[in-house]
Amino acid sequence: MPTPHEIRSSTMRISLCQILLTGAILINLVVLYYVSRTQQQMLKHKEPGKAVSRRSSVSRVAGITVLIREFEDFENWVVGVVKSFMKVRPDQPIVVVSDNLPYPPLGLPNKRTVQTILLKASPDQPHYVTRPEFYIKTEYTLLVPDGIQLDSTQQIERLLQEFEANKDKARMVAAPVQPSGLLQCLNLRVNLKEWSAVYSPSGGQLCDAIAGDAVVLLRTEDLFNLSQPMLRPLATSLFIQSSLHGWRVKTAESVVFSSYPRSLYMSAHNQWKSDNHVKARLAHLFKDFGVKRVVQADGKEQWYGCTKDAPRCFGTVHDDTPEYLYMNRWTPPCCLRALRETARYVIKTLESSDVRYWMEGGTLLGAARQQDIIAWDYDVDLGIYLEDVEKCELLRSLDSGSVVDENGYVWEKAVEGEFYRVQYSESNHLHVDLWPFYAREGIMTKSTWLDHKQDVEFPEHFLKPLVPMQFAGVTAYAPNNHRRFLELKFGEGVIENPEYPNPAKKKMVKTD
């Protein structure tokens, strides 16, 4: 049996071993912690950046983050741009934003202040990792195009001073980039209801948009309050969205950023490739924003909607209410252009065949109001004398099937009843409807009646005589006393009181 002294000695030995073992475990845990932390820091430099938060907003601190978005994977100066900022401002936060992981790899400096943000997440990632606003912690963001250099920290300081001096008038400040060193100040009117964006020259230094390479400074919160802040081409996208908010941009031409001495693209092929990418992005941008017609500052028009070889911009119309009215928009301008072209062509064909015709329904209403197609209408209606059908070879031949004429217009008998339809093309079904009427005891009637308010019989005296009236850029024929004729069909005061075709489905409000 052990003595009390031996028991105490054994207990002391056990306690000492336990202390040593516990100390060794703690030391190992500390070592593992620092190794893990170091590995995480290394990975942060090699992989795309990590979002700082899942929250819907981030607390901003004073300062500026440089954001590089506008560059091509296949050839760029992004690394040079980043290094030029780091040389002058070593701790400058910089984010490079790309749709996918750039290839070839950019080779950005391994520094915690430089991050790459990918807008398309991997399936195993949460959505917030694609949100640049969760990476940018500063109050301001500087949008920097590819190929520029920062020469002095004073350039950024002067931009900030310009911003503060003009913050009551402008939400953005823009500085030009050499070699031109010039920016063109533009007015920009974006009308989503009419699917259009119209640029025009602007005097002074306060604008809606600018033309020319520029570095743009704005508040981070403003940038990410736009619906699509990273959509390319970035400058076009930015100014379209900001103009809809009523924001202005101030040009700061006393602050000029230099560019690399040689051309951004070393080969003609890469320049061609870049130009094609820009065109494709512009088309995608205008499709996303629902802009079909763009008027440049020099007056040239660019169209991004339907053509003769492409389907019209809207589908089958239900309840006399096209889908765009539910979007609080009117007929796309490309569709109106095609309707005008088709109407003028049909009118010329009827007149050359001595077919008596007149503008009907909403078409006549548009002529009475504005000498044009109503801004939300989707077809053109003409009445014709049934007995004159035989005078027109194209109409006469339709008993044996539809005809595509030498100009690509499709003439056919409508499947909905006894009337004719002329479509813009085989692909694009914007059309003019021809309604054959005949006289019966002094009243004009027809064989097919549709469930339209204006689809009623009327006295023939409205057509004797037919009178000329301006419509869609040509002189067309209309009933005499067109006001009485329209009020018979639509009701009193119809010319002065516009309304959508089916108010029960979509009613016009005063702001329309």
Side-chain angles (χ1 to χ4, degrees), residues 65-118:
T65 296
V66 171
L67 190 152
I68 305 171
R69 169 66 172 140
E70 202 64 66
F71 65 94
E72 300 290 356
D73 288 5
F74 54 85
E75 187 172 357
N76 59 71
W77 283 89
V78 172
V79 172
V81 175
V82 171
K83 287 182 176 179
S84 79
F85 275 86
M86 291 174 59
K87 182 179 179 181
V88 177
R89 296 164 64 94
D91 295 322
Q92 174 64 59
I94 301 172
V95 295
V96 178
V97 179
S98 180
D99 293 316
N100 299 292
L101 189 65
Y103 183 82
L106 293 176
L108 294 171
N110 285 338
K111 192 170 181 182
R112 63 178 180 80
T113 54
V114 180
Q115 298 188 86
T116 301
I117 304 169
L118 307 182

Side-chain angles (χ1 to χ4, degrees), residues 9-24:
S9 298
S10 174
T11 302
M12 289 176 62
R13 286 195 301 272
I14 293 172
S15 299
L16 181 60
C17 289
Q18 288 175 335
I19 290 170
L20 291 173
L21 180 61
T22 301

Side-chain angles (χ1 to χ4, degrees), residues 50-67:
K50 305 296 182 183
V52 298
S53 173
R54 273 191 257 201
R55 296 172 297 164
S56 59
S57 62
V58 177
S59 298
R60 308 289 176 200
V61 297
I64 294 176
T65 296
V66 171
L67 190 152

Side-chain angles (χ1 to χ4, degrees), residues 132-323:
E133 61 266 39
F134 292 139
Y135 299 77
I136 299 177
K137 304 175 186 178
T138 56
E139 183 181 359
Y140 297 96
T141 296
L142 191 69
L143 304 178
V144 173
D146 192 12
I148 75 148
Q149 298 182 96
L150 182 67
D151 300 312
S152 167
T153 191
Q154 291 179 351
Q155 292 169 290
I156 292 180
E157 291 169 359
R158 286 164 63 189
L159 272 182
L160 274 172
Q161 291 169 4
E162 283 276 0
F163 189 97
E164 287 299 319
N166 293 277
K167 63 183 179 182
D168 294 334
K169 298 177 290 185
R171 302 291 278 266
M172 296 171 282
V173 172
V177 176
Q178 291 178 338
S180 69
L182 297 174
L183 296 176
Q184 184 182 9
C185 204
L186 302 174
N187 298 315
L188 173 58
R189 178 180 173 269
V190 181
N191 189 329
L192 295 181
K193 187 178 289 294
E194 297 179 2
W195 310 73
S196 64
V198 179
Y199 296 87
S200 61
S202 172
Q205 295 182 317
L206 201 61
C207 347
D208 300 316
I210 54 174
D213 291 334
V215 173
V216 179
L217 177 71
L218 73 168
R219 291 188 184 277
T220 302
E221 291 303 318
D222 282 348
L223 175 62
F224 292 106
N225 276 332
L226 300 176
S227 63
Q228 298 195 57
M230 293 293 104
L231 189 61
R232 298 174 68 185
L234 191 61
T236 304
S237 168
L238 172 67
F239 294 129
I240 285 178
Q241 294 177 85
S242 63
S243 68
L244 288 167
H245 289 276
W247 300 351
R248 310 298 302 279
V249 54
K250 169 70 168 56
T251 60
E253 296 189 358
S254 61
V255 184
V256 180
F257 284 79
S258 60
S259 58
Y260 281 89
R262 71 162 180 82
S263 173
L264 183 59
Y265 302 109
M266 293 293 289
S267 68
H269 173 76
N270 277 359
Q271 183 65 62
W272 168 85
K273 192 174 177 180
S274 173
D275 291 343
N276 282 343
H277 283 188
V278 170
K279 290 178 183 177
R281 290 183 193 117
L282 270 175
H284 181 265
L285 180 152
F286 289 126
K287 181 180 180 181
D288 263 17
F289 287 164
V291 173
K292 309 285 188 180
R293 173 177 171 262
V294 178
V295 181
Q296 298 295 346
D298 60 4
K300 292 181 180 178
E301 287 186 319
Q302 295 175 322
W303 294 86
Y304 294 92
C306 63
T307 64
K308 203 171 180 74
D309 299 323
R312 69 184 184 183
C313 298
F314 56 94
T316 302
V317 176
H318 299 281
D319 300 317
D320 299 327
T321 307
E323 59 191 74

Side-chain angles (χ1 to χ4, degrees), residues 330-355:
W330 289 345
T331 310
C334 47
C335 297
L336 289 174
R337 182 177 64 163
L339 280 174
R340 292 186 191 102
E341 183 181 324
T342 307
R344 290 192 290 261
Y345 181 78
V346 172
I347 287 169
K348 182 180 178 181
T349 303
L350 295 178
E351 289 180 352
S352 66
S353 303
D354 292 326
V355 174

